[in-house]
Amino acid sequence: MYQYIIRRFLQFIPMLLALSIIVFGLAKAAPGDPFSGKILDPEVGMEVYEKQRAELGLDKPIPVQYVRWAGKILQGSFGESIAYKGRSVESLIQERFLNTVYLGLFALFITLLVAIPIGIYSARHPYSLLDYGSTTFGFFGLAVPNFFFGLVVIYLFSIKLGWFPAQGTISSNKLTGFAEFKDRIHHMILPGLTLGLASTASYMRYMRSEVMDVLGSDFIRTAKAKGMSNNNVLYKHTLRNALIPVITLLGMELGPLLGGAIITEQVFNFPGIGTLFIGSVINRDYPVVMAITLLLGVAILVGNLLADIFYSIVDPRIRYD
């Protein structure tokens, strides 16, 4: 397993190189630069703006700009933000990154807490009332866009009922300890539900399908014929096999979960990577945009590696030689 992990990390090197080229190329292919979308001060000569572009290296050829950018990344720096003058890109990401991670983990926790039990029950009791209800919810969750669902829950649970706050991460910076933790969870419930809606619907359908497929296998019928109880059949044999496709989905979900928070955070004015990304796109702050996009790509690669590792934990028969 350790050798496999080392090999996978070595494979990350050419993949990250290709990813960095694609990210940089897409950013440079976008029209304009950080100064083209702003109203230029008529009292300031164009030579001032040209000097600023030269200081940022925007007057250099594209390959030279890429080499300079990649060189800074290898030194552990993503450069300086253009919109937030004097601020490093990594400091901007660092102060918001944990908010997005906590929101993503909270949404994933809600997803697994709801989807797996309901998926198992639907598989064991097909065509029951709960099964039809979960199917309807699945279609609803996949069809409704996150931003629309977010606006609905804000209207119902924040404006009308007043149960949850509509924006922010905490009510007061003076809170500490358990009171702070409880307040942060209170703020994350609505965006967490919104972010996890589509994932919950997908996981329920996957879990139902996989459990039903495994329950119809020959080894399950053999286990039942030997007198094994239904609970032992379910938890010792069925779930181990049914969880493997779900783990694959989990590994692929890490990057999109953080990326999906971009829209959700914007709806709830949640100070995370999403709101930083949207603001950077509007301001053409390309160093921040490229850094966040590259980090999301790395998250997908790490998620796939974690999925491979969890395969062998769930099913001991899987080994990587």
Side-chain angles (χ1 to χ4, degrees), residues 7-274:
R7 288 200 306 269
R8 286 293 298 271
F9 273 114
L10 292 177
Q11 291 173 3
F12 282 177
I13 296 175
M15 297 175 69
L16 289 176
L17 177 61
L19 179 62
S20 67
I21 294 174
I22 293 172
V23 169
F24 188 85
L26 290 175
K28 293 303 176 182
D33 59 34
F35 303 103
S36 61
K38 300 176 181 179
I39 299 176
L40 303 182
D41 191 342
E43 297 182 0
V44 179
M46 287 301 299
E47 63 275 5
V48 176
Y49 295 105
E50 293 299 328
K51 181 181 178 181
Q52 290 179 335
R53 294 183 79 254
E55 291 175 353
L56 294 172
L58 299 177
D59 59 335
K60 298 289 191 298
I62 298 296
V64 175
Q65 293 184 42
Y66 171 76
V67 171
R68 292 179 60 180
W69 178 68
K72 289 181 179 179
I73 293 178
L74 292 176
Q75 296 173 7
S77 173
F78 287 103
E80 291 188 356
S81 168
I82 298 173
Y84 300 86
K85 295 182 179 178
R87 294 287 304 276
S88 65
V89 174
E90 53 268 23
S91 67
L92 290 172
I93 294 177
Q94 185 178 5
E95 69 183 18
R96 294 167 176 258
F97 183 71
L98 285 181
N99 287 338
T100 298
V101 171
Y102 292 151
L103 177 60
L105 291 177
F106 184 74
L108 185 61
F109 172 76
I110 293 176
T111 295
L112 298 179
L113 185 67
V114 174
I116 291 181
I118 293 180
I120 293 173
Y121 184 89
S122 297
R124 297 184 66 182
H125 303 86
Y127 311 114
S128 63
L129 184 61
L130 181 61
D131 185 32
Y132 283 120
S134 65
T135 301
T136 303
F137 175 77
F139 287 129
F140 173 80
L142 294 173
V144 176
N146 275 9
F147 71 89
F148 178 78
F149 183 74
L151 295 175
V152 171
V153 296
I154 287 175
Y155 177 77
L156 290 178
F157 297 106
S158 181
I159 296 177
K160 285 294 184 182
L161 299 176
W163 290 354
F164 304 102
Q167 60 182 3
T169 58
I170 192 170
S171 300
S172 172
N173 292 327
K174 297 180 180 179
L175 296 175
T176 58
F178 181 73
E180 179 186 2
F181 173 77
K182 186 173 67 173
D183 190 63
R184 288 187 180 276
I185 294 295
H186 191 223
H187 279 75
M188 280 196 295
I189 288 179
L190 291 187
L193 288 174
T194 302
L195 183 59
L197 174 66
S199 298
T200 302
S202 299
Y203 279 89
M204 280 195 308
R205 305 316 301 161
Y206 267 99
M207 202 67 201
R208 178 185 184 275
S209 175
E210 293 301 325
V211 171
M212 287 187 68
D213 185 58
V214 175
L215 285 175
S217 302
D218 292 336
F219 72 93
I220 295 295
R221 286 193 288 267
T222 301
K224 290 182 178 179
K226 290 182 177 180
M228 186 175 291
S229 66
N230 289 332
N231 286 335
N232 283 336
V233 169
L234 177 64
Y235 296 111
K236 289 186 177 181
H237 296 282
T238 305
L239 284 185
R240 281 185 178 272
N241 292 273
L243 282 175
I244 292 178
V246 176
I247 291 174
T248 303
L249 193 63
L250 274 172
M252 298 173 62
E253 190 77 10
L254 182 59
L257 192 65
L258 297 179
I262 292 175
I263 302 300
T264 303
E265 288 178 4
Q266 195 70 13
V267 172
F268 289 91
N269 195 22
F270 194 87
I273 295 297

